[in-house]
Amino acid sequence: MEFELYLVRHGETEANKTHIIQGQLDVPLSQTGLEQARLVAKHLADTQFTLAISSDLLRALKTGETIRDENSSFEEIEVWKVARERSFGDCEGQGVDVMLGAVKGKNKEQLFAWG
């Protein structure tokens, strides 16, 4: 069985722009992010999809909905909570410097277990 897989990252959020760790914080797309979603939607407008999946976070779902609005090959987006970005615990909502301090000195196994 062959298939093509398209992975699309959500557009920019204000947190991305200001280097704030989002993790599972439910933040919307910025104006730039909305425009990025429109651009990728136009690029994928003629692509045939048999399945569309998004996490339940606003930034991902809005990006998927924008693609759907330009593409008539699918109507529904399956929302999978398990597709969320990983949790960064107490670092969510904090600057990147806070997370870098939290992970400093951790080995690979500790990093995989962390969050």
Side-chain angles (χ1 to χ4, degrees):
M1 176 172 82
E2 290 186 22
F3 65 91
E4 290 186 42
L5 176 66
Y6 292 82
L7 296 175
V8 178
R9 185 181 187 272
H10 62 78
E12 178 195 76
T13 66
E14 287 300 320
N16 292 138
K17 195 167 141 179
T18 58
H19 306 286
I20 299 298
I21 302 302
Q22 295 173 110
Q24 295 188 7
L25 290 179
D26 203 8
V27 297
L29 296 175
S30 65
Q31 286 303 311
T32 298
L34 291 168
E35 181 59 26
Q36 291 168 337
R38 285 190 286 273
L39 288 171
V40 75
K42 288 184 187 303
H43 181 74
L44 295 173
D46 296 325
T47 303
Q48 183 69 32
F49 292 105
T50 56
L51 177 64
I53 300 167
S54 174
S55 81
D56 60 337
L57 297 176
L58 292 172
R59 58 190 182 265
L61 194 52
K62 181 62 176 175
T63 301
E65 289 169 346
T66 304
I67 294 168
R68 180 201 56 209
D69 292 346
E70 292 289 328
N71 188 305
S72 62
S73 71
F74 69 102
E75 292 181 16
E76 299 297 319
I77 298 172
E78 288 191 25
V79 178
W80 294 5
K81 188 174 179 177
V82 70
R84 281 182 169 197
E85 185 170 343
R86 71 170 292 170
S87 172
F88 291 101
D90 292 339
C91 292
E92 291 182 3
Q94 305 293 320
V96 171
D97 56 329
V98 172
M99 188 171 85
L100 291 174
V103 300
K104 188 174 184 174
K106 291 190 181 339
N107 64 36
K108 185 177 178 179
E109 290 76 27
Q110 291 170 318
L111 288 173
F112 279 122
W114 176 73

